[in-house]
Amino acid sequence: MLRSARPANVAAAIAHARQRLAQACEIPSLDAQVLVAHLLDKPRAWLLAHPEEALTSAQAEALEAALQRLESGEPLPYLLGHWEFYALDFTITAAVLIPRPETELLVDTALTWLKTHPGPRRAADVGTGSGCIAVSLAHHDRELTVIASDLSRQALWVARQNALKHAVLERVRLVQMDLLTALATRDAPLDLLCANLPYIPRNTLAALPVSRWEPRAALDGGEDGLDFIRRLLEQAPARLKPGGLALLEIEAGQGEQAVELAHQAFPLARIQVLPDLAGHPRLLVIESQVFRRK
Ligand SMILES: C[S@@+](CC[C@H](N)C(=O)[O-])C[C@H]1O[C@@H](n2cnc3c(N)ncnc32)[C@H](O)[C@@H]1O
């Protein structure tokens, strides 16, 4: 049987990986470089400066094994064990959703609001997963404390690693709970409530490639995808300060329904939906009780 020759050096390894990943990845040339850099434990810039560097046979075998995993559909971040979000590096395991660029809109909107509302503030990140939202917020706002909740103990372990990695663990409190239920209404109210909860309608989930790899509990939003958003909006008014901000990521088709649910929960609030970079409705923004009479 004919076997393709093992790539002998860095340039050949990148070219080989790019060709093998052409069908499996959206940006094969970038993913090929990221993969080879990971296997050689070098920065990507080093690869470009050392194209003639020889690969050991162990490195060539590791490349082959990694390419087979990627060709079978496994996402690159699970193979690497880390991924970038909001310009920070996050540890990632199969227990957590891979942080998405769309979610950076939530973090951006939160940080902009925090700048105009200075001082020590209290936030919650509901369904924290890898902790990418909670950790990014705490990293960029040194006066912020964040309660980061998740039902999954494994996800909270990953979020803890990331809070440690970015030196914010003393201001990120990790709590295993269902949405905000364990946060008593008599506790100090929240200035900011953030959530990227599961929002994919159940019957569309099975057809999506993500359902093969990412945790179902991070994706399945119930029949119409709004089960968790609906429940969180029921809990939120008793826990958010008047004048506070709630930011909930939604699926592109959920804008109208999400606004209606938000109006039911916060009849006096200013409510809008912001689009993501692709122009799809993505972020439900609720400024609570801005119209309240004194
Ligand atoms: C879509 S993922 C988002 C993860 C992370 N916040 C991000 O943006 O990448 C949703 C997360 O919500 C968690 N989750 C699901 N149901 C929950 C519930 N009832 N209470 C708290 N967290 C829940 C899942 O375990 C998962 O980690």
Side-chain angles (χ1 to χ4, degrees), residues 4 7 9 33 47 63 76 106 124 135 146 155 171 185 188 209 224 229-230 244 247 249 269 291:
S4 61
N9 61 27
Q33 287 180 16
L47 299 186
L63 176 63
L76 181 61
L106 189 158
V135 170
V146 189
R171 287 182 294 110
T185 49
D224 63 356
I229 289 171
R230 197 174 278 116
L247 299 172
E249 186 169 314
F291 303 127

Side-chain angles (χ1 to χ4, degrees), residues 63 80 103 122 202 219:
L63 176 63
L80 301 176
T103 306
R122 212 167 116 83
R202 185 167 297 153
L219 301 169

Side-chain angles (χ1 to χ4, degrees), residues 6 11 14-15 27 42 54 57 62 84-85 90 100-101 129 141 146 153 189 199 205 231 244 264 273-274 283:
R6 278 188 175 159
I14 293 173
I27 318 174
K42 299 281 188 202
S57 57
E84 190 181 299
F85 176 82
F90 285 87
R100 302 296 205 273
D141 186 324
V146 189
R153 186 178 285 273
Y199 56 59
L205 187 56
R231 281 182 54 224
Q264 284 165 17
V273 174
L274 298 181
L283 187 64

Side-chain angles (χ1 to χ4, degrees), residues 105 248-252 254-260 262 270-276 279-286:
L105 173 66
L248 276 65
E249 186 169 314
I250 56 168
E251 208 200 19
Q254 292 169 341
E256 274 180 33
Q257 266 180 294
V259 166
E260 203 180 306
R270 199 168 121 198
I271 294 164
Q272 57 177 322
V273 174
L274 298 181
D276 59 23
H280 302 306
R282 187 59 64 196
L283 187 64
L284 178 65
V285 181
I286 305 169

Side-chain angles (χ1 to χ4, degrees), residues 9-24:
N9 61 27
V10 164
I14 293 173
H16 177 71
R18 188 174 53 229
Q19 190 212 344
R20 292 269 299 270
L21 296 178
Q23 305 302 323

Side-chain angles (χ1 to χ4, degrees), residues 155-172:
L156 287 168
W157 182 86
V158 177
R160 186 171 197 282
Q161 302 313 305
N162 286 319
L164 273 171
K165 189 186 243 182
H166 296 293
V168 294
L169 187 58
E170 77 281 7
R171 287 182 294 110
V172 175

Side-chain angles (χ1 to χ4, degrees), residues 97 99 103 127-129 132-133 150-151 177-179 196-198 217-218 228:
L97 189 90
T103 306
T128 198
C132 61
I133 296 173
D150 209 291
L151 266 187
M177 65 172 155
D178 178 20
L179 302 178
N196 177 19
L197 285 161
F228 294 97

